Amino acid sequence: MSPDKQNIKLSTPVWKQLLSIRRTAPIVFYTMMIYMAAELITVFILPQIIPDHYYLRLYLHEHAIERTEIFLNNEDPFNQSDELLGWQNRPNSQHDNWKVDKYGARTTFTVSKQPTRPIRILFLGSSLINGGPQISVENSISALIEDSVTEAVNFGVMRYSLDQSYLAYREELYEFQPRVLVVELPREPTGGLINQYIPFRHPEAHGMPFLKPRFEINSGRLNLIPLPPRHMFDSLLDNSELLCWLEVHDGYFGKFEEFKKFGILPISRLFWHGYEMIEKKIHFSRGNEEGAALLKKIMTALVEDAAAKNTHIIFLSYPHQADTYIPRWRSLFPDYYGLRIEELSAPGFEIIDCREILRRSGRPAYELYQADMRHMTPIANKLIAVKLKEKISDILSE
């Protein structure tokens, strides 16, 4: 092709080049047009027509649908339904290293509501604080602080948020009469506080597609948004009644709305996943404004409720592996984990920062973190337990 003809071709508008494809390759052209029309219809029209519960069947992993049915039939071997909290550890359940007692707690002794040693410590939080299913009770942080005068009862429940821990203590667990409550602060403690349906916040949580309560701040006070009526959950995949509830009450419902538009066809799904990855890298661990306000309010309420019962609170802040061993690209962004610790320490909350303990140990990541880069190994638990035991001693001697 001569240079003049090549320049003419390069200067031809794109729309004219596309029209030329219609003449030279009509099958390719009309296939492209039909697909583009399908994308537009999928994004702008179908979400207005198709009921949400049909989209939910596409949104949920097949395993999540199966686990939902198992949970609703009360056949989940590790969790059972709870009208207040959404779910609890199933009492006396056991599988490999995972074992809980008749109260659903991980303990090294037979527990009663009346303490059997001078100092009783209660642990509240998620699997981060109960150790997870990969380690034995004896290697959990709670077991590692025990001695002849100290006993520990670990009420950590998989995927609990701080609001559930607060509710559990306020309504039930205060009866165990602890002198100290050790309460987990996860890497990003705000997101769970605006969430009700776990798969909207954690789509990967196929094994625990559960509902939880949450709080909102109304006229400066905490107002409980309870679990929706049970019949809504029972008919989750058959009608959209529950989804209408979640649209109002779940701060992550927008993620489901995005899926309805961009998660169905491959090209829009590809761009959507790309956007999601970038958004996560930019906003990792930063939290959100509503959740941040709730976090401080719930922490304050928990401290005040415990103080009224002569119980002290220690918050145990758990970092992700990427917060402890910061990747090079992360140095371009603020240290949101560290900033949150500073912000929460200012009002006087008693916080132990596990990141500093792990860093000072000088040990490599593979010795301190399990494969998921979130849960701690027995080595890390021992390091944290030493610092926690010192803090408990200081508080009780004041």
Side-chain angles (χ1 to χ4, degrees):
M1 182 183 295
S2 67
D4 290 341
K5 288 184 178 180
Q6 187 175 13
N7 289 336
I8 292 172
K9 185 171 183 178
L10 291 174
S11 63
T12 303
V14 174
W15 66 271
K16 286 189 175 181
Q17 294 182 44
L18 289 174
L19 288 176
S20 69
I21 295 176
R22 184 180 64 177
R23 293 191 299 271
T24 58
I27 295 177
V28 173
F29 176 81
Y30 285 111
T31 300
M32 289 172 55
M33 291 300 101
I34 292 171
Y35 184 80
M36 290 175 62
E39 287 275 3
L40 293 173
I41 291 170
T42 300
V43 171
F44 295 106
I45 298 177
L46 293 185
Q48 311 301 320
I49 300 173
I50 299 176
D52 280 356
H53 65 277
Y54 287 108
Y55 279 107
L56 187 64
R57 287 183 175 273
L58 298 175
Y59 179 87
L60 293 176
H61 189 277
E62 183 179 343
H63 184 226
I65 295 175
E66 178 185 342
R67 294 289 294 180
T68 300
E69 294 173 351
I70 289 173
F71 181 72
L72 290 173
N73 292 330
N74 197 30
E75 297 172 351
D76 189 307
F78 304 111
N79 304 281
Q80 66 178 18
S81 177
D82 185 276
E83 293 182 359
L84 174 68
L85 302 169
W87 67 95
Q88 287 186 334
N89 294 331
R90 182 174 291 279
N92 297 315
S93 59
Q94 182 174 359
H95 180 72
D96 294 335
N97 287 322
W98 178 256
K99 182 180 180 180
V100 296
D101 67 12
K102 65 179 181 180
Y103 295 110
R106 301 199 86 184
T107 57
T108 61
F109 62 99
T110 301
V111 175
S112 64
K113 292 188 176 181
Q114 184 70 32
T116 58
R117 299 178 199 172
I119 301 173
R120 169 172 280 185
I121 316 295
L122 251 60
F123 286 72
L124 304 176
S126 71
S127 60
L128 294 180
I129 208 162
N130 72 29
Q134 304 304 320
I135 69 170
S136 64
V137 173
E138 290 72 22
N139 286 318
S140 65
I141 290 177
S142 49
L144 292 168
I145 69 163
E146 291 187 312
D147 56 32
S148 59
V149 297
T150 305
E151 62 185 22
V153 187
N154 196 322
F155 281 104
V157 180
M158 306 297 185
R159 293 197 179 274
Y160 260 26
S161 298
L162 182 63
D163 47 9
Q164 290 166 291
S165 295
Y166 168 54
L167 271 175
Y169 173 72
R170 189 184 77 177
E171 301 299 324
E172 300 171 357
L173 301 183
Y174 72 90
E175 296 178 356
F176 285 83
Q177 306 172 49
R179 299 222 19 217
V180 177
L181 280 180
V182 179
V183 183
E184 171 200 315
L185 282 180
R187 176 201 196 189
E188 200 285 275
T190 65
L193 305 183
I194 63 170
N195 175 228
Q196 278 212 288
Y197 187 45
I198 299 300
F200 286 168
R201 184 180 179 222
H202 293 296
E204 76 283 358
H206 308 317
M208 300 188 68
F210 303 157
L211 285 166
K212 62 178 286 293
R214 57 160 294 200
F215 287 95
E216 63 180 359
I217 299 175
N218 189 0
S219 300
R221 299 173 64 87
L222 285 174
N223 180 44
L224 178 64
I225 301 174
L227 295 173
R230 174 60 188 253
H231 75 270
M232 291 186 182
F233 197 11
D234 288 341
S235 59
L236 172 67
L237 300 173
D238 299 320
N239 64 60
S240 300
E241 191 176 4
L242 176 59
L243 293 166
C244 290
W245 169 287
L246 295 173
E247 185 175 9
V248 176
H249 297 299
D250 196 311
Y252 283 84
F253 189 82
K255 295 296 181 184
F256 177 61
E257 294 274 71
E258 290 175 5
F259 169 82
K260 289 163 55 180
K261 296 178 179 179
F262 307 112
I264 307 301
L265 294 181
I267 292 181
S268 55
R269 188 181 185 92
L270 177 64
F271 281 103
W272 180 50
H273 277 306
Y275 168 77
E276 288 272 287
M277 290 177 62
I278 294 172
E279 185 182 43
K280 284 180 181 178
K281 288 190 179 296
I282 292 176
H283 298 291
F284 62 87
S285 297
R286 190 168 65 182
N288 57 77
E289 187 174 341
E290 182 185 2
L294 278 168
L295 176 64
K296 293 178 183 177
K297 199 74 174 175
I298 293 171
M299 289 174 70
T300 300
L302 185 51
V303 170
E304 291 176 350
D305 282 16
K309 300 174 179 65
N310 198 30
T311 299
H312 301 274
I313 300 278
I314 297 174
F315 293 99
L316 201 58
S317 182
Y318 279 84
H320 189 278
Q321 181 176 309
D323 296 309
T324 305
Y325 303 90
I326 298 179
R328 183 173 298 177
W329 67 268
R330 284 276 301 274
S331 62
L332 302 174
F333 297 91
D335 177 18
Y336 292 115
Y337 174 87
L339 290 172
R340 180 176 292 113
I341 296 296
E342 289 182 15
E343 182 182 357
L344 294 177
S345 298
F349 295 123
E350 197 71 62
I351 301 175
I352 293 178
D353 182 4
C354 294
R355 179 170 74 171
E356 291 305 306
I357 298 171
L358 301 180
R359 284 180 171 177
R360 288 174 183 171
S361 74
R363 292 177 178 272
Y366 66 85
E367 289 187 6
L368 302 178
Y369 283 91
Q370 297 182 33
D372 64 1
M373 299 188 292
R374 294 176 60 247
H375 292 84
M376 303 294 177
T377 65
I379 292 174
N381 284 343
K382 288 179 183 178
L383 294 169
I384 296 168
V386 170
K387 178 65 176 179
L388 177 59
K389 198 172 178 66
E390 292 175 359
K391 178 64 70 174
I392 291 171
S393 178
D394 291 343
I395 287 176
L396 295 181
S397 63
E398 290 178 356

